[in-house]
Amino acid sequence: MKNNSGQTLRRHIDRSAIAENYQILKKASGAATCGAAVKANGYGCGVETVSNILAREGCQQFFVADAIEAAKLRTIQKDAEIFILNGVFEDTIPLITEHILIPVLNSLSQIKLWQQSGVTQDFAVHIDTGMNRLGLRVNEAYNCLDDLKSVPKLIMSHFANADDPEDPKNTQQLEAFTALSQKYSGVTASMANSAATLSNHAAHFQLTRPGIAIYGGNPFSHLPNPMKPVVKAEAKIIDLREVLPNETVSYGGTFKAKETMRVAVCGVGYADGYPRNVSGQGVQLREYVPNGAKGFIAGEMINCIGRVTMDLTMFDVSHLPRNAVEIGDWVELFGDQITLDDFAEQSGTVSYEILTGIGRRYGPSI
Ligand SMILES: *Cc1c(COP(=O)(O)O)cnc(C)c1O
């Protein structure tokens, strides 16, 4: 961890866990090459740190969201293949040529733009088999095959429901892509995200591209997490205060003390990516998910009470011995004792959103 003095939220990235997780995915990929999704600053973990670890572990194919992320990654990874998932636009062609990036062409208009640009570098083609986000429709992909002036470096598709390996949509998508890949014979094919890499051998083709599992998130919605945790987030206690019976805590007064309490005020809030939805009380989500977030300190779980605010969050430490908690101590928000996925669930979202949001106030400071 870099010097983060003054910060009241700190993250710890377990570098060896990133390496171990990649090796698990590489092994699961079998004969296929194992690439990596490192978009959004390596899922918030720092793309320099992450891509260097992965490269040392043998990763040579990186997927990012846009040309800006790709150009930045090129300054770190000089020799790797860098795929731009959002494809090509008029204004990104200079970056693509300067940094030898590989656009994943997503539509007939992107194919046209690419061919008319006259750029002769490698490109990839994305075929939509059911996600309805990016990619040529399957029939478009068959039709445009003959129009392509050169052979794509890669064809790919993306699962919509891979987090549930039992979902029949996976089979439908896989069948559509398998048939198409036979038409593009000799071209590297890629379909598997983390969940499919771990659970669906038939989806490996020649290149897998896991993301969340590298960063320790559970790729499955209803199965145990096979990955090692990577990120730990902690907030500093910046004040301890006594709250008297019938007093309320935080905006809206949604938490009311029944007895005298000791409350830790922590320097973390929604501006840090600590979601307002984890508030102990006073957010709509609590109607569906009864309990808000917990913190962990001095061997005990502590409850978040009242609403999370922009920069500050309050926790109940009444049950801890007085000398066990002091101003300046750190409360674990998630990491070792509280799993990232449990925390994400308490905030009504997924690990991906937590990882890419947490700590953004301080920028890439790890
Ligand atoms: C983000 C992404 C991945 C990685 O998905 P995970 O669920 O994080 O493993 C793979 N392919 C595409 C197209 C993506 O956008």
Side-chain angles (χ1 to χ4, degrees):
M1 210 182 318
K2 269 195 204 157
N3 177 13
N4 50 19
S5 55
Q7 294 189 6
T8 57
L9 168 69
R10 67 181 184 189
R11 289 174 299 171
H12 180 258
I13 307 285
D14 185 339
R15 286 146 207 257
S16 59
I18 293 178
E20 281 177 54
N21 286 342
Y22 179 74
Q23 287 304 333
I24 292 172
L25 292 155
K26 193 171 165 173
K27 200 163 164 221
S29 299
T33 304
C34 186
V38 295
K39 59 205 189 198
N41 192 30
Y43 286 47
C45 296
V47 72
E48 181 166 358
T49 306
V50 167
S51 67
N52 281 335
I53 296 168
L54 296 176
R56 257 196 315 272
E57 298 298 317
C59 183
Q60 287 295 321
Q61 285 79 20
F62 295 102
F63 291 82
V64 294
D66 61 30
I68 294 178
E69 289 183 355
K72 179 180 174 195
L73 181 56
R74 174 58 78 213
T75 65
I76 307 162
Q77 304 303 331
K78 307 271 187 246
D79 303 319
E81 290 174 347
I82 301 176
F83 294 88
I84 306 174
L85 289 167
N86 81 359
V88 63
F89 301 92
E90 201 85 58
D91 64 345
T92 61
I93 291 176
L95 281 176
I96 290 171
T97 51
E98 182 186 343
H99 297 285
I100 323 279
L101 309 169
I102 308 175
V104 182
L105 307 180
N106 285 308
S107 61
L108 293 176
S109 66
Q110 285 201 345
I111 288 175
K112 192 166 159 208
L113 174 67
W114 184 249
Q115 305 218 115
Q116 285 179 350
S117 74
V119 179
T120 53
Q121 281 170 220
D122 284 340
F123 65 96
V125 176
H126 190 156
I127 298 113
D128 177 37
T129 52
M131 174 80 174
N132 262 318
R133 187 173 66 170
L134 290 174
L136 300 175
R137 289 193 165 269
V138 171
N139 65 326
E140 289 174 337
Y142 280 112
N143 291 339
C144 88
L145 207 53
D146 300 331
D147 298 339
L148 290 175
K149 292 191 189 127
S150 49
V151 180
K153 171 92 184 164
L154 172 93
I155 56 165
M156 58 172 268
S157 190
H158 190 52
F159 285 111
N161 300 7
D163 60 318
D164 177 5
E166 306 291 318
D167 192 306
K169 192 172 178 82
N170 296 322
T171 316
Q172 291 160 15
Q173 288 192 257
L174 184 57
E175 281 171 3
F177 188 65
T178 304
L180 199 89
S181 70
Q182 283 154 7
K183 293 279 175 194
Y184 285 79
S185 65
V187 178
T188 302
S190 174
M191 190 165 194
N193 61 359
S194 300
T197 300
L198 292 166
S199 68
N200 194 344
H201 180 77
H204 290 164
F205 297 92
Q206 290 79 43
L207 175 67
T208 58
R209 35 170 226 276
I212 192 68
I214 295 169
Y215 312 98
N218 190 352
F220 301 114
S221 43
H222 305 297
L223 296 172
N225 188 358
M227 312 315 294
K228 283 200 84 168
V230 167
V231 181
K232 177 159 115 174
E234 295 173 305
K236 194 182 256 187
I237 298 177
I238 63 164
D239 200 11
L240 283 161
R241 59 191 304 125
E242 204 150 87
V243 174
L244 301 175
N246 293 321
E247 288 184 345
T248 61
V249 175
S250 195
Y251 289 123
T254 55
F255 176 85
K256 194 173 197 181
K258 294 195 183 77
E259 56 212 346
T260 301
M261 296 176 73
R262 194 164 184 239
V263 170
V265 182
C266 289
V268 68
Y270 55 75
D272 302 290
Y274 191 69
R276 185 173 176 276
N277 263 343
V278 302
S279 298
Q281 293 80 17
V283 293
Q284 277 175 355
L285 183 69
R286 294 285 80 80
E287 290 171 22
Y288 313 101
V289 184
N291 297 314
K294 292 188 187 309
F296 184 85
I297 189 168
E300 299 281 346
M301 293 290 179
I302 55 176
N303 289 323
C304 171
I305 55 174
R307 285 186 185 147
V308 172
T309 70
M310 185 184 290
D311 320 303
L312 299 163
T313 298
M314 278 64 82
F315 289 91
D316 177 12
V317 293
S318 309
H319 58 295
L320 299 183
R322 278 199 89 76
N323 60 5
V325 191
E326 289 176 11
I327 292 172
D329 287 351
W330 294 87
V331 173
E332 179 187 316
L333 304 174
F334 62 83
D336 297 333
Q337 305 294 329
I338 300 163
T339 72
L340 167 64
D341 294 285
D342 284 349
F343 178 72
E345 195 177 312
Q346 284 151 6
S347 53
T349 186
V350 288
S351 57
Y352 303 69
E353 189 177 355
I354 299 298
L355 285 182
T356 53
I358 200 85
R360 66 188 162 210
R361 156 176 262 157
Y362 302 121
S365 60
I366 35 177

